[in-house]
Amino acid sequence: MKAFQYGDVLITLGTGKMDESEECATGLPGEHDYAVITLEETCGKHLFLIKNPWSGGVEGPASAGSIVVRENVDVQNQIGAILSTKEPGAKHSHLEPGTFWMNINEIFQHFDSLYLNWNPGLFSYREDVHFAWDIATSNGLWASFGNNPQYQIHSEAGGTVWIVLSRHFKSYRQASSDANIDSSTANPFDKGFISLYLFRNRGYKVYFTDNSTVRGPYVDSPNTLVKTDLPAGVPCTVVVSEQELLRSSHSFTLSAFSLQPLILSEARDRYLCHTVQAGAWTPANAGGNASSPTYSKNPQFSMNLTRPSDVSLLLELRGGEFPVHVKLVWSDGKPVRFIGTRDIVGDSGEYRKGHAFAEIHDVPAGRFTIVCSMFEQGQLGEFILKVGTMSDCTVQRIPTRPAGHFVSHPKTAFFAGEMDRLWAPLNCARLTRLSVVAQSHDTAGHGGGQAKSSGLPLRISLESGHGLTKRVLASSSDDDFSNGHYGVQLNDIDIQAHMCPKAGVRLVLERAGSLNPASQEGVNVKIYSTNSIDVGSWVG
């Protein structure tokens, strides 16, 4: 009460959603704001003189039976007496149009919001930052925080701080020009919401909303406020967010008020090096999630890390809300055909609409493969991949098929009943480097229908020699069996031409477990090689 009388606080009120009958009963329009002109206290009641800022619209007293009218009749008699004692001879029975009295109990019953706007001169310390934010190409609701304005707020003494975001006004002409729309219909404030988030993460940049300390409401007014207690000596990060603003450039002021000294500056980026790659999911490479048999078709990138480092991976759709995911894999920067649990260095967790973020600590130096995927097979869209590291790093797209390589498709290998091993001879005319991928597939079931692959664990290897001279040249998954439904792979094995006729080189498929004796399971094999090779028939 005293702060209002001193002029240190402005009070406004806001109604919530109402239907027509509620508006008629209360005399108050729904989703509308009011100004408080005067506060008085009489007979133990706190009374507000309220002003409806609309002119020519719905005004205070609406119908004879409305709450506003009934309240005015009761309150006017009480307020007239007390004001007459303060100002003898003054006339207080007449109220300006759209102005009415209401007691505080009725206000709490019929208004959803009460806003207190304090005089900033009451605070001992203030920091302001002015900035522009271009959201012309933003993915809106589904974008990450990676491109949002972010600021570090820090106070050695700590204490309570008020943070205000103010959106600057634009003329109709400027707003329509920026957003490339008709100026006759453009209203720079006819849509859109702004909000503030606060993170206690030592003032570093953030990329998504998880783990926020404070989440301010999204409001359609040009100002929004969050109040919080800062820890002493520990920087925090303030993030500006929006929903449904015009897709153009907007300017803002971010202000911080406190009774203690504070600093407001740009948020720090913990990663010194950044690499950006553009890509797309097309009909040829939209492989779906890791449970899909076509997962290996997804866009892949090699990452070469010169020194051990923390790594961040940010994958963002350039439009759309499909769930996406990013994964870092031990694969020496080569195409990934199969991913076992031990192959995963780190990933972004659950599929997330519009963007995915992974932060992986203590990654050793070396070459790795990044796999970008959508949840559903066949979903199409463009994306941006941003890689952040603490040391030099190169990121390059991996071709879907190795350039200049031959691709061989041996006949499907069929395991029947309790059969657990098949092999096929290999022959090459010169030194050849090859990679092999094997994957179980659906086969014809009884009645001509499709029988789902059992996905029994598979292992693929290359052998040479016989009997005591037999040796394994290479084996998939460190000689372990892996889920055949997802596929297994053997990477970059060199075969000399003289090895084939002399010792006999064999491609071996092995299966763990057995099926019903009357059933069979097919395995498709694909071989990538630097030179032409011949693959014989499968032998059980």
Side-chain angles (χ1 to χ4, degrees):
M1 176 80 78
K2 289 183 178 179
F4 184 88
Q5 292 170 346
Y6 292 152
D8 286 331
V9 63
L10 298 176
I11 303 176
T12 53
L13 302 168
T15 55
K17 287 186 177 181
M18 296 184 183
D19 58 31
E20 188 176 347
S21 62
E22 289 176 306
E23 290 184 348
C24 183
T26 61
L28 303 170
E31 296 184 300
H32 185 49
D33 291 332
Y34 294 79
V36 175
I37 306 300
T38 301
L39 296 181
E40 293 292 345
E41 184 175 359
T42 177
C43 301
K45 289 188 177 182
H46 295 86
L47 306 173
F48 288 61
L49 181 60
I50 301 170
K51 170 69 175 178
N52 183 346
W54 280 357
S55 58
V58 179
E59 299 185 346
S63 63
S66 70
I67 292 171
V68 170
V69 171
R70 295 199 309 270
E71 190 66 22
N72 269 298
V73 172
D74 297 337
V75 171
Q76 191 66 32
N77 295 330
Q78 300 173 19
I79 202 66
I82 189 170
L83 293 181
S84 296
T85 62
K86 291 183 177 181
E87 302 177 49
K91 295 182 179 180
H92 301 284
S93 59
H94 174 71
L95 295 175
E96 296 293 331
T99 305
F100 54 95
W101 289 95
M102 185 174 280
N103 72 44
I104 194 168
N105 293 329
E106 292 284 353
I107 284 173
F108 288 151
Q109 183 176 353
H110 300 295
F111 288 90
D112 274 15
S113 306
L114 187 151
Y115 305 99
L116 302 179
N117 304 278
W118 292 96
N119 175 9
L122 295 174
F123 298 94
S124 306
Y125 298 92
R126 171 176 179 168
E127 289 282 322
D128 295 294
V129 175
H130 310 286
F131 61 93
W133 183 18
D134 189 351
I135 58 172
T137 59
S138 170
N139 198 18
L141 183 63
W142 311 112
S144 76
F145 273 177
N147 295 315
N148 290 44
Q150 302 190 26
Y151 293 91
Q152 175 188 150
I153 186 167
H154 176 238
S155 173
E156 285 297 332
T160 304
V161 62
W162 286 258
I163 306 170
V164 179
L165 176 66
S166 300
R167 178 180 162 206
H168 299 176
F169 283 90
K170 287 183 179 181
S171 67
Y172 283 83
R173 177 176 297 179
Q174 182 183 5
S176 59
S177 175
D178 290 347
N180 195 26
I181 57 179
D182 184 2
S183 61
S184 63
T185 60
N187 183 344
F189 287 97
D190 67 350
K191 61 180 295 185
F193 305 85
I194 57 175
S195 178
L196 289 172
Y197 284 67
L198 185 79
F199 297 82
R200 291 187 177 175
N201 67 331
R202 306 195 65 81
Y204 289 112
K205 287 190 66 174
V206 297
Y207 293 90
F208 54 103
T209 60
D210 297 6
N211 304 319
S212 60
T213 305
V214 177
R215 294 190 181 202
Y218 283 89
V219 299
D220 59 359
S221 67
N223 302 284
T224 187
L225 165 74
V226 296
K227 175 186 174 183
T228 188
D229 291 325
L230 291 181
V234 180
C236 296
T237 301
V238 180
V239 182
V240 177
S241 182
E242 62 83 23
Q243 291 181 4
E244 301 179 18
L245 288 183
L246 290 175
R247 300 293 97 180
S248 64
S249 180
H250 299 266
S251 55
F252 300 84
T253 295
L254 185 68
S255 303
F257 302 89
S258 177
L259 298 177
Q260 302 294 337
L262 75 163
I263 298 173
L264 189 62
S265 59
E266 286 196 20
R268 297 177 291 170
D269 194 332
R270 70 173 74 240
Y271 298 100
L272 304 178
C273 303
H274 292 272
T275 305
V276 179
Q277 289 279 347
W281 288 280
T282 67
N285 67 3
N289 64 71
S291 297
S292 169
T294 58
Y295 178 75
S296 62
K297 292 183 177 180
N298 280 302
Q300 301 184 24
F301 299 83
S302 66
M303 184 185 80
N304 186 16
L305 198 60
T306 58
R307 288 182 293 175
S309 171
D310 292 348
V311 174
S312 70
L313 305 175
L314 177 62
L315 176 66
E316 289 201 271
L317 275 175
R318 301 183 68 177
E321 58 181 272
F322 294 128
V324 295
H325 185 271
V326 63
K327 193 187 301 285
L328 185 66
V329 182
W330 300 96
S331 188
D332 197 31
K334 296 181 174 60
V336 172
R337 310 297 174 190
F338 160 76
I339 297 179
T341 303
R342 292 185 300 180
D343 300 323
I344 300 173
V345 183
D347 62 23
S348 57
E350 298 293 330
Y351 278 78
R352 193 184 191 105
K353 286 187 176 182
H355 68 276
F357 179 73
E359 193 165 40
I360 309 161
H361 299 288
D362 301 323
V363 179
R367 293 174 59 84
F368 304 86
T369 299
I370 302 169
V371 184
C372 305
S373 65
M374 288 198 200
F375 186 78
E376 293 290 344
Q377 180 182 346
Q379 288 178 333
L380 311 180
E382 297 180 349
F383 65 84
I384 294 290
L385 174 66
K386 299 178 181 178
V387 180
T389 57
M390 306 297 293
S391 59
D392 290 340
C393 171
T394 57
V395 179
Q396 295 180 326
R397 181 191 303 276
I398 298 175
T400 304
R401 182 168 120 184
H405 278 48
F406 293 84
V407 182
S408 304
H409 298 272
K411 292 182 179 180
T412 299
F414 287 100
F415 287 95
E418 298 183 356
M419 184 183 297
D420 60 5
R421 176 184 168 93
L422 293 169
W423 63 272
L426 290 182
N427 283 287
C428 60
R430 56 180 61 89
L431 173 64
T432 299
R433 172 166 292 186
L434 55 83
S435 298
V436 186
V437 180
Q439 187 172 37
S440 301
H441 78 114
D442 298 339
T443 56
H446 297 291
Q450 286 294 107
K452 187 68 176 178
S453 163
S454 68
L456 287 175
L458 292 177
R459 179 172 62 194
I460 188 168
S461 56
L462 284 177
E463 294 180 356
S464 68
H466 301 276
L468 295 177
T469 62
K470 171 185 170 182
R471 66 190 183 98
V472 177
L473 304 177
S475 184
S476 61
S477 303
D478 296 327
D479 206 33
D480 276 350
F481 287 87
S482 301
N483 192 310
H485 182 68
Y486 301 153
V488 294
Q489 66 176 348
L490 196 60
N491 285 326
D492 294 340
I493 309 302
D494 291 331
I495 303 297
Q496 300 280 357
H498 68 82
M499 296 169 56
C500 299
K502 182 177 180 181
V505 176
R506 299 176 299 280
L507 178 63
V508 180
L509 278 175
E510 296 174 281
R511 181 182 66 172
S514 60
L515 300 172
N516 185 301
S519 63
Q520 65 177 5
E521 180 170 20
V523 178
N524 288 332
V525 176
K526 186 181 293 186
I527 303 175
Y528 299 90
S529 59
T530 54
N531 291 293
S532 178
I533 62 171
D534 293 323
V535 184
S537 299
W538 293 102
V539 179

